C-alpha cells in the first residue's frame, strides 16, 4: 500500500533531509556569489603587493577547485544544522521525562549551533586577511569569536554526553550489585579504585605538559602590547585546560562504558565519546597550525583539509548519534528512559530505593538489548501495541508505579 505524502512528510528523518537540502542550497548559493566576491577581492589585494617574504596568497585554479570542494562540505554541514535545529526542535521539547528533556535540549541546541557555525567560521579564516589588520589582531579575533565557541560546545556536549552514559551506568551497577551480592561500583569502593580520581590525575599531568609547550610554540614576544599578552596567556591556559579535560573525559567515559552490558547502545556511547574527545583535543594544536605555518595559499588549503574537514566530520557524526539518543529519550521502554526515571525517583528522597528498583532494573536489562534501535515516530505506536498483545507488569520505582512490558527486548 502506498503511503500518503503527508505521512511521509511527517516523518522526522524526511523533514531533516528536506530542510537540510534547502539550507544547503541557500548557503552554497550565497557562498558561490556574495562570499566569492570577497575571495576575488582578496586575490586582487595580494596580487597587487609584493611583501618580503612573498605571501603567495593568490588562488591558482587547483587551489580554487579545492576551496570549492571545501565550501560544498561546509555548506552541507550548515544545511544539516538548519534541518536538525528546526525538525528536531519540534520534538525535543515534547520529551515527557523532565530530566532527559533538559539534557536533550542542551545537546540539541549545542550541536545545531556547532554545525551551523562552521561555514562562517572557516570562511572568516580566509576573508579576515582582507581587513588589513596585523596577524596578532586577526588571531585574537578568531580565537575569541570562533575557536572558543567550539571549546564551549565541546565542554557542554562532554558534560551531558557523560551524564547520559552515567544514567545507564547506574542501572548496570545496581544489576551487578544484586547479582554479586556485594558492592561492585568502583565509585563507591576504595579511593584508589575510583576512576574519577584517576581521570583528575591524568588531567593534571596533561595540563602541566601542555602549558609550557603552548608558550614554546607561541611565546610572548617583545612586540606584543599589554592586552595582547593578556590574551595570549589566557588562550594558552584555557586551551591547555581543555585538552587536559579531553583526556580526562576520554579516560572516565571509557572506564564507565566498559562497565555497561553489551548492547548497540554501547556502540552509540563509544562513537559519540570518541567524536567529543577529538573535538576537545583538536582545539590545542588548531591555533598553532594557523600561526606557525607561512601564510601561503597552499598552507591554507592544507590546513582546511587536514584540520577543518576532520572537525566537520566529527560534528556530523555527533549530530547523527545525538539523533539516536533523541530516539531513545522518546521511547519510554528504552534503558535510557528507565534509568532516567530511577535517577529522578532517587533524587526525590525515597529511602527504599534499592528494594523497590529490582523490577525496574530487570526491565532496563531487557530494554538495553534494543538500545539504539527505536525511532521517534514508532515509539508511541509500539508502546500502545505492546499493551494490547503482551503481558504487563506494574513495578514500583521509588514508591511510584511504572508500567513496563516484561517481554520487551
Amino acid at each position: 500500500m502506498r503511503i500518503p505524502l503527508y505521512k511521509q512528510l511527517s516523518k522526522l528523518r524526511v523533514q531533516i533531509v528536506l530542510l537540510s537540502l534547502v539550507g544547503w542550497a541557500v548557503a552554497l548559493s550565497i557562498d558561490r556569489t556574495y562570499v566569492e566576491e570577497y575571495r576575488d577581492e582578496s586575490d586582487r589585494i595580494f596580487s597587487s603587493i609584493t611583501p618580503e617574504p612573498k605571501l603567495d596568497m593568490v588562488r591558482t585554479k587547483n587551489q580554487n577547485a579545492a576551496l570549492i570542494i571545501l565550501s560544498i562540505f561546509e555548506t552541507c554541514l550548515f544545511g544539516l544544522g538548519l534541518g536538525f535545529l528546526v525538525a528536531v526542535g519540534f520534538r525535543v521539547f515534547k520529551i515527557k521525562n523532565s530530566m532527559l528533556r533538559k539534557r536533550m535540549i542542551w545537546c540539541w541546541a549545542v550541536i545545531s549551533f556547532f554545525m551551523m557555525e562552521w561555514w562562517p567560521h572557516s570562511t572568516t579564516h580566509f576573508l579576515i586577511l582582507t581587513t588589513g589588520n596585523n596577524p596578532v589582531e586577526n588571531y585574537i579575533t578568531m580565537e575569541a569569536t570562533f575557536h572558543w565557541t567550539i571549546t564551549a560546545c565541546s565542554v557542554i556536549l562532554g558534560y551531558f554526553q557523560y551524564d547520559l552514559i552515567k544514567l545507564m551506568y547506574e542501572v548496570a551497577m545496581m544489576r551487578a550489585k544484586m547479582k554479586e551480592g556485594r558492592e561492585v561500583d568502583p565509585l563507591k569502593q576504595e579511593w584508589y579504585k575510583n576512576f574519577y580520581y584517576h581521570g583528575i590525575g591524568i588531567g593534571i599531568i596533561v595540563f602541566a605538559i601542555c602549558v609550557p609547550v603552548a608558550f614554546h610554540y607561541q611565546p610572548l614576544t617583545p612586540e606584543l602590547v599589554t592586552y595582547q599578552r593578556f590574551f595570549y596567556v589566557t588562550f594558552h591556559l584555557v586551551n591547555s585546560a581543555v585538552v587536559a579535560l579531553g583526556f580526562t573525559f576520554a579516560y572516565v567515559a571509557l572506564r564507565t562504558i566498559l562497565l555497561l552490558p553489551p548492547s548497540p547502545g554501547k556502540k552509540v556511547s563509544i562513537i559519540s565519546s570518541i567524536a567529543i574527545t577529538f573535538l576537545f583535543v583538536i582545539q590545542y594544536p588548531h591555533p598553532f597550525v594557523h600561526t606557525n605555518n607561512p601564510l601561503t595559499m597552499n598552507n591554507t588549503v592544507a590546513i582546511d583539509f587536514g584540520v577543518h574537514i576532520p572537525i566537520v566530520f566529527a560534528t556530523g557524526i555527533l549530530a547523527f548519534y545525538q539523533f539516536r539518543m533523541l530516539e531513545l529519550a522518546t521511547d519510554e521502554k528504552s534503558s535510557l528512559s528507565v534509568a532516567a526515571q530511577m535517577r529522578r525517583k532517587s533524587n526525590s528522597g525515597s529511602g527504599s530505593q534499592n528494594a523497590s528498583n529490582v523490577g525496574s532494573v530487570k526491565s532496563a536489562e531487557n530494554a538495553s538489548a534494543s538500545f539504539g534501535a527505536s525511532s521517534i515516530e514508532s515509539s508511541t505506536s509500539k508502546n500502545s501495541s505492546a499493551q494490547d498483545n503482551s503481558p504487563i507488569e506494574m513495578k514500583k520505582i521509588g514508591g511510584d508505579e511504572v508500567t513496563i512490558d516484561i517481554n520487551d527486548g
Side-chain angles (χ1 to χ4, degrees), residues 174-364:
M174 188 175 295
R175 183 171 60 245
K177 181 178 179 180
M178 291 187 297
K179 181 179 179 180
E180 298 289 335
R182 60 184 179 84
E183 185 60 71
V184 296
D185 188 346
L187 300 179
K188 297 180 181 179
Q189 299 182 48
E190 295 86 350
W191 66 269
Y192 55 84
K193 294 182 180 180
N194 190 317
F195 50 78
Y196 282 180
Y197 294 147
H198 306 164
I200 292 173
I202 291 172
I204 292 173
I205 293 172
V206 172
F207 180 77
I209 295 173
C210 287
V211 171
V213 172
F215 279 99
H216 172 75
Y217 283 102
Q218 284 186 337
L220 300 179
T221 55
E223 61 269 17
L224 295 176
V225 299
T226 302
Y227 81 93
Q228 293 173 342
R229 288 173 174 269
F230 169 80
F231 275 109
Y232 266 58
V233 171
T234 304
F235 293 155
H236 291 342
L237 293 177
V238 170
N239 291 340
S240 298
V242 168
V243 73
L245 185 60
F247 277 94
T248 299
F249 170 83
Y251 176 81
V252 173
L254 176 63
R255 288 294 305 271
T256 305
I257 292 170
L258 288 176
L259 295 171
L260 298 178
S263 71
K266 203 169 185 177
K267 179 181 177 182
V268 173
S269 301
I270 290 173
I271 296 178
S272 297
S273 298
I274 290 174
I276 292 174
T277 300
F278 172 78
L279 293 176
F280 269 121
V281 175
I282 197 65
Q283 304 316 314
Y284 183 74
H286 187 183
F288 301 155
V289 172
H290 282 290
T291 58
N292 285 273
N293 284 292
L295 187 60
T296 67
M297 186 55 66
N298 277 334
N299 286 337
T300 300
V301 173
I303 292 171
D304 281 334
F305 281 86
V307 178
H308 296 173
I309 286 293
I311 295 177
V312 169
F313 277 116
T315 306
I317 292 171
L318 268 179
F320 173 76
Y321 282 100
Q322 174 66 15
F323 173 78
R324 301 294 282 162
M325 284 288 189
L326 179 63
E327 290 183 318
L328 292 167
T330 57
D331 184 352
E332 295 179 357
K333 297 185 298 179
S334 72
S335 57
L336 182 62
S337 292
V338 173
Q341 293 178 59
M342 293 173 61
R343 168 84 69 83
R344 180 170 59 85
K345 299 303 179 183
S346 176
N347 292 340
S348 68
S350 173
S352 57
Q353 178 67 22
N354 290 338
S356 63
N357 278 339
V358 175
S360 300
V361 173
K362 180 62 179 176
S363 171

Side-chain angles (χ1 to χ4, degrees), residues 53 58 75 105 173 195 235 267 296 349 375 406:
V58 180
T75 53
I105 286 174
M173 289 299 96
F195 50 78
F235 293 155
K267 179 181 177 182
T296 67
S375 68
I406 62 175

Side-chain angles (χ1 to χ4, degrees), residues 128-129 131-141 224 227-228:
I128 198 171
L129 299 174
T131 62
N133 294 333
N134 67 59
V136 173
E137 298 296 331
N138 289 342
Y139 167 70
I140 292 175
T141 300
L224 295 176
Y227 81 93
Q228 293 173 342

